[in-house]
Amino acid sequence: MNEIKEAFTKITPDRLDDIKEELKTRDENIVIETKKKKKRYLLTLPIVAVCAAMVFMLWPATHSIQTVVGLDVNPSVELNLDDDYKIVEVKTNNEDGKKIVGNMDLKGSDIEVGVNALIGAMLKEGYIDELKNSLLISVTGENEQENEKLRQQLSLNIDELLKASDINGSIVSQTINDQNVENLAKQYQISVGKAEIIQQLVSKNPLYTFDSLKNLSIHELNLLLQSNQVEQVSITGHASESGYIGKDKAQSIAFNDAQVSQPTVQKVEMDYDDGVMVYEVEFYKDQVEYDYEINALNGEIIKSEKDGERTSQSASSSNQSSNQNSSNRSQTSTQQISQDQAKSIAKKHAGVQSVSQEKIHKDYDDGVYKFEYEFVSGDYKYEYEINAMTSTVMKHEKEYVGTVKLTQNEAKQKAFSHANVSSSNAYDVEVELDHQYYEVSFKSGQYEYEYKINASDGSIVAHEKDYDD
């Protein structure tokens, strides 16, 4: 600001004493005309010279905040504007934001000047490039119509600035009118703009939570916005997938693992699951459905599922199944495979020998006796459904869980101990290994307990205690 002031002083003649002498000899009245539009004041030329010299001292005290513009990449910066769209205050929401602002003094600058300076700094520091080409603009204020105009203009300006740097950017922009978003932003210690984006994603996809998405970058959130087709935001360009293996590679990995060629593809899209960006690949071949989750960074198969029979069945096959129910129920156990045989079939199919964390039980569903068998081998959890009558694999799933050192019983006991509940007083106990964690739930007395326990080191990641009504 001092540099701007010095430059302004050099080009402005110091005629204050001359003006005073001149006014003494003049009889006409000096009229000050005001124009209400944007609260800008039009003054006669002699007065302008005096006011111009004083603007730097008077400006901060006479301008109130009317609009807030948020810029988020990973650096997060908010610009508070007056009703002339000049910057009153610059706020940084994280350390990267502080780094970008640095020693820049943007107070009093037009919004376009401030935004261009900040985007330029982000480009220079490598926060925006061809691999991470996403940026979020958020405009908040009482005048919705003016906010929308400003959003559109800033989006166009930034797009041109990125193209001038040979970057095909993807700009996410929005206007915000929901006061509750500010509370969410404070709760999760993120910007208001980012909180609004996450809220839109959580509303669109019930599998998402604020906790799971709060640490994602704007680029990662943009990828999810495009996959989930959120309509409440404006998106120009496409979020780059150059930093990931890509949809074609993910699809090829799934096809090769399933050992199928030219299947009918139902879906290949980016998603986020338990801390990892993934490609969801769904397809079917010969009435068999396949569902894969592929690590978007390294191509590792996180989850694979094969459903031996498609959900859409003809009425005749359904009737046939219904007619066979009674005869299937009457078949003796000698006509069915044993539990050990079911285990052997599943292990052979999975190509493993040594297993742990086994759970198996027999079930009767839709006219079929089957064994549901779950086990861990290496860094993966396997789930199988084996037809007890035909010995065929009806369904199987493979999911990455990492290094599992804790047993199911140990996880359960840790939860009981933390809750100060004895095992004899706990009921409706369920233990499920999900990715790298055990999810333990149980009831005791008038309360219901839920625990998330790290399967590798036994640490309690999260826990809840609710009144069971």
Side-chain angles (χ1 to χ4, degrees), residues 372-386:
E372 294 183 355
Y373 180 35
E374 177 183 315
F375 59 91
V376 173
S377 182
D379 291 339
Y380 291 88
K381 182 183 79 169
Y382 299 80
E383 294 182 21
Y384 275 83
E385 290 184 5
I386 309 295

Side-chain angles (χ1 to χ4, degrees), residues 377-411:
S377 182
D379 291 339
Y380 291 88
K381 182 183 79 169
Y382 299 80
E383 294 182 21
Y384 275 83
E385 290 184 5
I386 309 295
N387 190 308
M389 303 303 302
T390 64
S391 305
T392 57
V393 176
M394 301 173 62
K395 184 177 181 179
H396 67 91
E397 183 176 337
K398 178 182 177 182
E399 179 183 339
Y400 179 78
V401 293
T403 303
V404 178
K405 296 181 180 180
L406 207 67
T407 66
Q408 297 173 31
N409 187 60
E410 288 171 338

Side-chain angles (χ1 to χ4, degrees), residues 146-182:
E146 291 297 322
N147 292 346
E148 180 60 20
K149 290 180 181 178
L150 180 59
R151 179 197 68 77
Q152 293 180 15
Q153 187 59 53
L154 290 176
S155 182
L156 288 172
N157 291 351
I158 292 174
D159 185 51
E160 292 176 0
L161 186 60
L162 295 181
K163 286 179 179 177
S165 300
D166 295 324
I167 293 177
N168 293 316
S170 179
I171 301 173
V172 183
S173 57
Q174 60 185 352
T175 56
I176 303 174
N177 302 305
D178 186 358
Q179 297 295 326
N180 294 327
V181 176
E182 294 185 12

Side-chain angles (χ1 to χ4, degrees), residues 12 21 28 70 82 117 123 131 135 171 219 236 260 268 278 301 320 324 355 361 409 411 418 450 461:
T12 305
E21 291 298 321
E28 68 266 34
D82 65 8
L123 288 167
L131 297 182
L135 180 141
I171 301 173
H219 188 69
T236 62
V260 299
V268 183
V278 300
I301 298 175
Q320 183 179 0
Q324 291 176 345
V355 302
H361 73 275
N409 187 60
H418 185 274
E450 292 183 3
V461 178

Side-chain angles (χ1 to χ4, degrees), residues 290 320 348:
Y290 300 84
Q320 183 179 0
K348 183 178 180 180

Side-chain angles (χ1 to χ4, degrees), residues 156-274:
L156 288 172
N157 291 351
I158 292 174
D159 185 51
E160 292 176 0
L161 186 60
L162 295 181
K163 286 179 179 177
S165 300
D166 295 324
I167 293 177
N168 293 316
S170 179
I171 301 173
V172 183
S173 57
Q174 60 185 352
T175 56
I176 303 174
N177 302 305
D178 186 358
Q179 297 295 326
N180 294 327
V181 176
E182 294 185 12
N183 296 329
L184 287 170
K186 291 178 182 179
Q187 178 182 349
Y188 291 96
Q189 297 182 332
I190 57 178
S191 71
V192 174
K194 187 174 182 179
E196 174 67 15
I197 289 295
I198 294 176
Q199 180 170 259
Q200 296 293 345
L201 283 167
V202 171
S203 300
K204 186 76 173 181
N205 190 333
L207 297 178
Y208 294 150
T209 65
F210 245 93
D211 280 318
S212 66
L213 301 183
K214 67 180 181 179
N215 293 323
L216 294 187
S217 68
I218 295 302
H219 188 69
E220 290 167 326
L221 291 173
N222 190 11
L223 288 167
L224 297 183
L225 285 172
Q226 297 186 49
S227 293
N228 288 273
Q229 298 180 338
V230 176
E231 300 175 353
Q232 287 79 4
V233 297
S234 175
I235 303 176
T236 62
H238 295 280
S240 172
E241 295 185 28
S242 300
Y244 302 95
I245 62 172
K247 291 184 175 68
D248 291 342
K249 180 65 175 178
Q251 185 173 280
S252 176
I253 292 171
F255 292 172
N256 289 336
D257 184 77
Q259 297 181 346
V260 299
S261 61
Q262 297 182 331
T264 300
V265 179
Q266 294 177 303
K267 180 175 71 172
V268 183
E269 63 182 28
M270 185 77 81
D271 202 359
Y272 182 74
D273 189 15
D274 203 33

Side-chain angles (χ1 to χ4, degrees), residues 48-80:
V48 168
V50 179
C51 292
M54 300 173 62
V55 68
F56 294 99
M57 294 182 291
L58 296 178
W59 181 86
T62 59
H63 287 66
S64 60
I65 297 172
Q66 300 295 325
T67 310
V68 178
V69 172
L71 297 176
D72 284 275
V73 179
N74 184 39
S76 180
V77 181
E78 291 182 357
L79 303 176
N80 294 335

